[in-house]
Amino acid sequence: MAELRRQPLTPRRLGIVVALVMSMMLTLFARLYYVQLIDPHKPVQSAHLLHDGVIVVPAPRGLIVDARGRTLVANTSAQVITVDRDLLQQRADGGKGVLDRLAALLGRSPALLGKQITPCSPKVPAPCWTGEPFQPVPVAMNAPTSTVLAISEHREAFPGVAVQTVTLPSYPYGTLASHVLGYTSEITAADKARNTQLSDADTIGVSGLEQQYDALLRGVDGRQIVELNPQGLTVRAGGSTPAKQGDTLVTSIDLDLQKLAEQSLAQQLRDSRAAGKPATGGAVLVMNPNTGRILAAASSPTYDPSLFVGGISNADYRTLTDPAAGTPLLDRAIAGEYAPGSTFKLITSSSLVMHHEINTHDTYPCPGSVTIDGRVKTNYDSEVLGDITLRDALGYSCDTFFYRPTADEYYRDQTRIDNGKSAHEYLQRMAAAYGVGRAPGVDLPAGEQASGSYADRETRLARWRTDRAAYCAAARAGYRSVADTAQRAYLTELAKENCTDGWRYRAGDNADMSIGQGETTMSPLQLAIAYSALLNGGRIWEPTLGWAVVDGNGDVVQKIRPKVRNHVPVSQRLFDYITKSLDFSRGWAVSGAFAYIGSKYQNRLGGKTGTAEVFGRKDTSWLVSWGPTHKRHGHTRADFVIVGMVEQAGTGATAAGPMLKRIWDGIFGADGKPIIPGSRPERRLPRIDPQVKVAGR
Amino acid sequence: MTLLARDPRAPFVLTPPVLPLERRNRGYDVLLSLVALALALTGALLVWAATRDASGQSFLWRHLLNVVIATVLMVGAARLDARLLRLFGPVVYLLSLFGLLLVLAAGTRVNGAKAWLHLGGGFELQPSEFMKLGLIVGMAVLFSRHDQDEDLPPRTRDVLLALGLIAVPLGLIMLQPDLGSAMVLGCAVFGVLVVAGVRARWTVGLLILGVLGSVLAVKGGVLHAYQLDRFKSFMDPSVDPQGAAYNVNQAHIAIAAGGLFGTGLFHGPQTNGGFVPEQQTDFIFSVAGEELGLVGAGLIIALFAVLCWRGLRIAREADHAGRLVAVGVVCWFGFQAFQNIGMNLGLTPVTGVPLPFVSYGGSSMFAQGLAIGLLQAVRRRALD
């Protein structure tokens, strides 16, 4: 002991530390070696860490039906072939055999098919699967029956491949009313950002009624829960909730009337073209002036909404929006803006008479031409009618009759301005009261309804302030790209004038407006609304296409009612005067009546033609007509207002007249039974069967 | 005054053309620093692998910044001279003690332990890391006063003083409660006591006391429930796989999946899936186990072995005080690495200690950098 103590203690003790440290390190290494290489029961990720995945079962969209319950937009079931990646990967060959066989059946390369079912990630570029990794991947939409049968009959050859039935929107009448019905599309990332409830499997309405009533039509998606292990492989199915189909939208569209309007429009375009006119497009709008409901809205050229089902190709979409192809996607009846021409004289007459600038019993001149501020303005074909009353001015559609009083109104306003007062601008205010310059508030998306326009002092000045630099630049440059020298000179002159005097609102502008020319534009729907006011005592409707929303039990959950936006400040006496002036019973004295003289129902119609001049194009042909007229409390009433418009087709009487005559023939049953029972708009909602299957009455 | 370049009275010796390694490095142990740096850079890769999916490169850059700061601290500590070193121990001890008190008063709680001080600007300090350093140097200074014969066991008075010096911070750390740090601290100090030549009756007595103390702590309810749970789940990992044992099980799964060569850096499903909580700090070894396999993870253990070997070599050649510092540091690193890797491998119970140099964490990295610097200073016989 004594010997030991005399030895230095520390080196021995240091030895203890060395031994300890080294044994610790060896222990660790041995344990590591065991855990990684020897352990016969290596731990694996346990089932406690399962999480749920949700497979969305998209709800079938609700139907859209017409005023008598006939289906306009239905659902069809389509066979979709899906591939379950989990099941494929669990196979010995990693699913290669199945993919090869399936690719051969679908007529695509196995490599492409393999890419299509691989979930997208930063490392996996398109084509790839954008959905959840655990969700079966659809590889063929709307698969042909032969393919479906081949897979169903040889299930053993296609493990992991399934055939599912999905619903897709279908259009039993093809292109019928496609502009107002709208179309649907697959969900985009932007849609999902706006509404987190949406899932990739959903279909969303992106235009027309499909968009406007999307929330009601979409329904509630069903959900199938699957349990997933941490690697994302499905372990077992959990609970599920079934999908709930969207509600049915009943519209005020009448299928037969809509069909007839479209057919007549198409025929008119053919006839006008045969007569040598470009007739690039047209529209028909039928509205009930007493309820504000739209009964038909036709626009040509049209498009097939089924092109959008399952995704539209870029080439197809370009064609639908190409001006050279007539912009088929544009709804000319509601979103198109055109110079209304003489049909605007309803508004001009209202303004002039109500502000005592003319009266209904005196006569005023209708010369062949009028000179305003040194510019000669002529009648159509320089017709000379002598001194006439407003009745004949409307009936024969004299332009010069209206030039003088509207120019005088302008001068009076200028005098007021010179005296430091503000201009009355009676004509503009009356136009605004009839709804010009403001979206009509129809139940369609905001971008799909035209506001129309007119010029006044304020807007002219504001526009000149913003556009002056562009006008002046254009005047200097001189439109070199325009080939036609006359047109080039005109445009250059116009730009020069705009550059220096573009802010000036002139007497000629007011005169132009009085006959619906110049900067005055309206949509066919806006004209229908304005003329409805003529026939309903002055109510300006915010019209509707939707009528009611009916749920899966057949119960009405929502009634859609047009609202009265305002009353035009026009006396009933003047309305009576105008309807009498434009009654087709006056025969040759009413320009629009030409096509109807001699027909059985000539005395039950009224109408106003329009022939609008458009710079660089042929005239727009208009006819606004109403009927069947009847008297109530001594005032003229009608059940339908029909507006017809044909682009670049000549006078109102030559194109729009015959076009609407075919529709009136149908309504009155000139060649047999009326297409609308009783020749009156449907008043009662159709009964919608609880099974969602729709039955006509 | 001489005009000669050489003192003419000096014996004539041929200057060797190549200086011995130690002279060239002015007495530094280059290998020691390189091994520490290798561990820190491996740590950078593993931290990146563990946090890449959730946080991109932010943890990587912060870890590298920590390494740079720790290197500066190491170089600074290595240049300390004897006087400053003797001051260093008490100063660090007192500062850390103050820090520990502050933590109890105003600390931030992370994973159950109130061990962090918020410094503002996203910076946090863990005083217990620096306390390890302060205590080791403080004890070395205490046991190597000039009035002592280093061949005789320390006097009872000194031993009791030392135990007092240990008891205060140990108690404070237990109060946080940070069991892991307390164990590492205890182990490092025990190593210093053993090598200081404290009589066997003291050391053995302390060991028995420690065991009795832990038994009492487990039975008597001194420990928190979560600490008890950790011990229970350590005894039987199947007790509560979603709770206390979750970390261990997940780390175990990750390491077991690694095999010989691992799944490849950044390609561990267990790591990428984020199954192991706190993977960039306490369970960093599981990343190495899964992605680098036995080869990579074994290399980390080997690097720790080399680190300890160099440290113990410095201890053997050092004077008494230097030896105590070196042994303390080696015990600290060795035991903390064992404790951390052991809990990753299911060998030791879960206590929140980082893997030295490898784990993400500023305070520990800085304290470890200072410790390596102290070893270098000892090597330079700065304490002579």
Side-chain angles (χ1 to χ4, degrees), chain A residues 5 9-10 13-14 17-18 21-22 24-25 27-29 31-33 35-37 42-45 48-49 230, chain B residues 194-195 197-198 242 250 253 255-256 259-260 270 275 289 293-294 297-298 301 308 312 323 327 338 342 345 347:
Chain A
R5 186 166 294 172
L9 256 172
T10 40
R13 295 234 165 146
L14 203 56
V17 175
V18 171
V21 167
M22 287 311 145
M24 284 197 296
M25 295 304 149
T27 309
L28 286 181
F29 190 82
R31 173 68 181 173
L32 182 67
Y33 193 82
V35 165
Q36 293 197 306
L37 296 186
K42 277 193 176 186
V44 288
Q45 198 52 270
H48 292 281
L49 297 168
Chain B
V194 168
V195 176
V198 173
Q242 285 294 288
Q250 293 303 324
I253 292 167
I255 294 169
L260 186 56
Q270 194 64 12
F275 281 100
L294 180 68
I301 297 175
C308 292
L312 289 170
R323 183 181 301 140
V327 164
F338 176 74
L345 292 170
L347 208 58

Side-chain angles (χ1 to χ4, degrees), chain A residues 340-345 380 383 385 390-399 402 531 578 580-597 602 605-611 621-626 651-658:
Chain A
S342 298
T343 58
F344 192 78
K345 286 172 186 166
Y380 193 80
E383 220 174 2
L385 295 174
L390 175 62
R391 169 153 300 155
D392 286 333
L394 284 170
Y396 293 113
S397 207
C398 174
D399 291 345
F402 295 96
Y531 276 86
I578 294 173
K580 201 173 166 194
S581 303
L582 295 171
D583 198 302
F584 283 0
S585 63
R586 296 180 68 217
W588 295 104
V590 178
S591 59
F594 297 166
Y596 300 82
I597 288 171
Q602 181 193 347
L605 288 186
K608 178 80 201 81
T609 51
T611 307
S621 170
W622 286 101
L623 176 63
V624 183
S625 59
W626 52 90
T651 63
T654 54

Side-chain angles (χ1 to χ4, degrees), chain A residues 76-314:
Chain A
T76 47
S77 53
Q79 310 280 15
V80 173
I81 297 171
T82 62
V83 174
D84 189 327
R85 294 180 69 247
D86 288 6
L87 291 174
L88 244 52
Q89 281 170 347
Q90 283 163 21
R91 298 188 63 74
D93 62 350
K96 193 180 172 304
V98 176
L99 277 190
D100 286 350
R101 281 190 290 277
L102 184 60
L105 204 57
L106 297 175
R108 285 172 227 176
S109 79
L112 175 65
L113 193 60
K115 280 182 193 165
Q116 284 170 335
I117 65 167
T118 309
C120 296
S121 79
K123 288 174 196 158
V124 180
C128 56
W129 166 232
T130 54
E132 301 282 1
F134 52 82
Q135 212 164 356
V137 186
V139 292
M141 300 287 276
N142 237 335
T145 316
S146 58
T147 312
V148 172
L149 282 178
I151 292 169
S152 313
E153 284 170 8
H154 303 284
R155 291 223 153 276
E156 70 291 343
F158 295 100
V161 179
V163 178
Q164 286 184 354
T165 305
V166 298
T167 57
L168 297 171
S170 78
Y171 303 90
Y173 302 100
T175 62
L176 187 92
S178 55
H179 288 105
V180 289
L181 295 176
Y183 51 86
T184 58
S185 135
E186 286 166 351
I187 297 285
T188 64
D191 296 326
K192 270 168 82 173
R194 269 196 298 280
N195 183 351
T196 50
Q197 298 287 304
L198 294 175
S199 92
D200 284 325
D202 283 334
T203 310
I204 190 167
V206 287
S207 133
L209 292 170
E210 291 272 24
Q211 180 184 356
Q212 184 73 16
Y213 293 100
D214 184 63
L216 297 162
L217 290 167
R218 199 185 315 118
V220 182
D221 289 338
R223 262 149 226 282
Q224 165 75 55
I225 314 281
V226 287
E227 280 185 53
L228 307 170
N229 66 11
Q231 282 74 45
L233 302 176
T234 307
V235 177
R236 57 180 161 265
S240 67
T241 46
K244 184 176 165 290
Q245 184 174 10
D247 294 336
T248 298
L249 176 68
V250 181
T251 65
S252 51
I253 299 276
D254 186 284
L255 175 63
D256 296 316
L257 191 57
Q258 177 75 28
K259 255 193 219 167
L260 180 59
E262 292 190 11
Q263 283 163 4
S264 183
L265 172 59
Q267 189 183 333
Q268 192 55 50
L269 293 177
R270 281 196 300 275
D271 292 350
S272 291
R273 282 172 199 161
K277 299 287 187 341
T280 48
V284 173
L285 193 124
V286 186
M287 182 168 150
N288 182 342
N290 306 308
T291 61
R293 296 194 187 281
I294 295 169
L295 310 175
S299 173
S300 182
T302 186
Y303 69 94
D304 184 357
S306 60
L307 282 176
F308 288 88
V309 174
I312 188 166
S313 72
N314 279 335

